[in-house]
Amino acid sequence: MAKVLVVTSGKGGVGKTTSTAALGAALAQAGEKVVVVDFDVGLRNLDLVMGAERRVVFDFINVIQGEAKLQQALIRDKRLDTLCLLPASQTRDKDALTEAGVARILAELREKFDWVICDSPAGIERGAALAMRHADVAVVVTNPEVSSVRDSDRIIGLLDSKTERAERGERMEKHLLLTRYDPIRAERGEMLKIDDVLEILSIPLLGIVPESEEVLRASNVGSPVTLNSPVSAPARAYMDAARRLKGEALDIVVPKDRKSLLGKLFGRRAA
Amino acid sequence: MNLMSFFARRTSAPVARERLQILLAHERVLVSGEPDLVAVLREQILALVARHVSVDQDRVRVQMNRDATASTLEIEVELPAPSGARIARA
């Protein structure tokens, strides 16, 4: 039975696209058939983060409007043959994303894949509403910072009221993915702790992705961090999160990067 | 700057936590239309205190804690003393 998962946050820049790429790749690395779908019409970036920006011919809107078949718009990942990308349109108006069109394409994707991962745009407007509309599971990406936590709280409210599942009176499965976490600053009292965020948002924790230079390095070269640097701390966090999504019960730890002696000596300066 | 304010300045995370708890209790009510019990209690307790003494909103400190089994609400109101001096805690 395919699952539709939305990666959402309300606030921009917290790591939705990075997390979509990393979770999608991690699930595909575990043998699942995965499609990642970009809902950010006009500001697409999932293609770039996945390293497929030069292979986009048709997009989500083309398929909705019948100008291309779904099969023509899907881009198969060059590294993982069970991973596909459905890019958003960069030029069309976001109103072209219609409710009926999105429902039809997602139903088709459910037939072909185990996981349909929807990368939501920031905000709470049309694109974000449609990205969450048909979801079975939501991953709420949050930074340990006041504006991100506030926006996540708003998004959780919408997941519980404006999705098909909520309207049918069913439970929406929601998970918190805490990104850009710095355990040292949290310990010093300079950053919200994991427990603070969990207490405020009261949804279960899917994983903690530590702040790491590997995340930027992976996006620079257009490769999900779980592929580009599989033993790095963020990659291990995403791989564990993917296993939890598949139903495994794993203890949640904050992965640490294993630093070389030089790295330890020079700390953050090495980038 | 005394020693206490030196330490207070260094740990900003508890301030963030407290501000978020108050703000979100309020916003959840606005968005859902369903009053949050803790937020309602806060409003009514403050209104009750205000009926007897004039309360400066800046001198009210509210803290909420939630966990799986229980929520607690702590309200600290600074009351103006009759002499003009201020007494902490009520």
Side-chain angles (χ1 to χ4, degrees):
Chain A
M1 200 20 210
K3 270 198 176 170
V4 176
L5 183 152
V6 61
V7 178
T8 184
S9 69
K11 190 176 175 339
V14 296
K16 284 181 297 297
T17 301
T18 301
S19 298
T20 301
L23 287 174
L27 284 165
Q29 282 166 288
E32 304 276 301
K33 284 186 281 178
V34 182
V35 61
V36 288
V37 185
D38 195 343
F39 273 76
D40 206 344
V41 176
L43 288 171
R44 77 171 173 221
N45 273 319
L46 188 55
D47 55 332
L48 194 55
V49 170
M50 303 274 298
E53 71 277 11
R54 290 163 53 152
R55 300 170 62 205
V56 177
V57 182
F58 296 110
D59 59 55
F60 199 172
I61 305 279
N62 292 137
V63 182
I64 286 179
Q65 301 196 332
E67 296 153 357
K69 293 215 160 62
L70 180 58
Q71 213 47 252
Q72 294 174 287
L74 286 174
I75 302 169
R76 188 175 296 277
D77 190 271
K78 286 199 162 153
R79 299 146 297 205
L80 292 165
D81 59 3
T82 59
L83 178 62
C84 281
L85 161 72
L86 181 57
S89 169
Q90 183 69 338
T91 50
R92 305 290 267 275
D93 191 273
K94 62 185 188 310
D95 291 338
L97 214 54
T98 61
E99 162 120 35
V102 170
R104 181 169 57 83
I105 309 303
L106 287 184
E108 246 185 278
L109 291 171
R110 272 180 197 270
E111 303 279 310
K112 297 181 199 292
F113 296 93
D114 301 318
W115 293 90
V116 181
I117 306 184
C118 305
D119 183 20
S120 174
I124 51 174
E125 302 301 324
R126 186 185 189 85
L130 283 172
M132 70 167 69
R133 181 97 192 119
H134 306 278
D136 305 306
V137 188
V139 170
V140 180
V141 183
T142 307
N143 292 167
E145 177 273 322
V146 287
S147 55
S148 174
V149 175
R150 180 198 211 172
D151 291 0
S152 292
D153 189 75
R154 185 75 202 281
I155 284 291
I156 291 168
L158 294 174
L159 287 165
D160 285 333
S161 60
K162 304 284 183 200
T163 52
E164 274 193 328
R165 265 187 180 250
E167 285 172 5
R168 286 199 303 260
E170 290 172 28
R171 202 180 68 88
M172 180 80 190
E173 192 184 323
K174 299 176 293 291
H175 300 276
L176 180 73
L177 186 65
L178 197 62
T179 56
R180 309 200 72 166
Y181 186 70
D182 184 336
I184 295 166
R185 300 200 70 191
E187 201 41 59
R188 279 194 213 133
E190 295 171 0
M191 179 183 268
L192 286 168
K193 289 194 161 112
I194 297 157
D195 285 344
D196 294 338
V197 181
L198 286 176
E199 185 194 336
I200 292 166
L201 295 178
S202 22
I203 59 171
L205 185 61
L206 182 68
I208 304 152
V209 183
E211 175 81 68
S212 165
E213 60 207 35
E214 291 298 336
V215 172
L216 179 60
R217 188 170 292 155
S219 80
N220 283 345
V221 298
S223 171
V225 70
T226 51
L227 278 174
N228 196 56
S229 176
V231 295
S232 67
R236 283 182 284 136
Y238 281 119
M239 286 199 248
D240 282 358
R243 287 170 67 187
R244 285 183 200 104
L245 283 173
K246 287 174 68 185
E248 278 184 57
L250 298 171
D251 285 339
I252 296 191
V253 290
V254 187
K256 287 195 181 77
D257 267 322
R258 296 178 193 105
K259 279 191 178 163
S260 63
L261 183 63
L262 271 178
K264 275 180 189 156
L265 283 173
F266 294 101
R268 289 158 182 279
R269 279 171 47 202
Chain B
M1 188 169 74
N2 61 26
L3 198 64
M4 282 307 285
S5 66
F6 176 75
F7 283 113
R9 204 169 57 90
R10 281 185 59 107
T11 59
S12 53
V15 181
R17 174 177 179 271
E18 200 170 307
R19 288 175 62 220
L20 274 169
Q21 280 172 324
I22 306 300
L23 174 73
L24 294 181
H26 183 64
E27 284 187 346
R28 283 170 190 154
V29 177
L30 289 181
V31 171
S32 69
E34 287 166 30
D36 178 273
L37 177 66
V38 179
V40 169
L41 284 176
R42 173 183 184 261
E43 292 302 318
Q44 293 192 353
I45 291 170
L46 289 180
L48 179 71
V49 173
R51 259 167 50 195
H52 298 280
V53 282
S54 74
V55 182
D56 182 350
Q57 285 290 323
D58 292 343
R59 301 201 173 269
V60 176
R61 217 179 60 83
V62 183
Q63 193 169 355
M64 287 182 231
N65 286 294
R66 266 172 235 260
D67 62 37
T69 52
S71 298
T72 61
L73 172 68
E74 245 179 83
I75 299 189
E76 205 177 296
V77 185
E78 241 185 74
L79 297 176
S83 66
R86 291 191 182 274
I87 305 167
R89 283 209 175 251

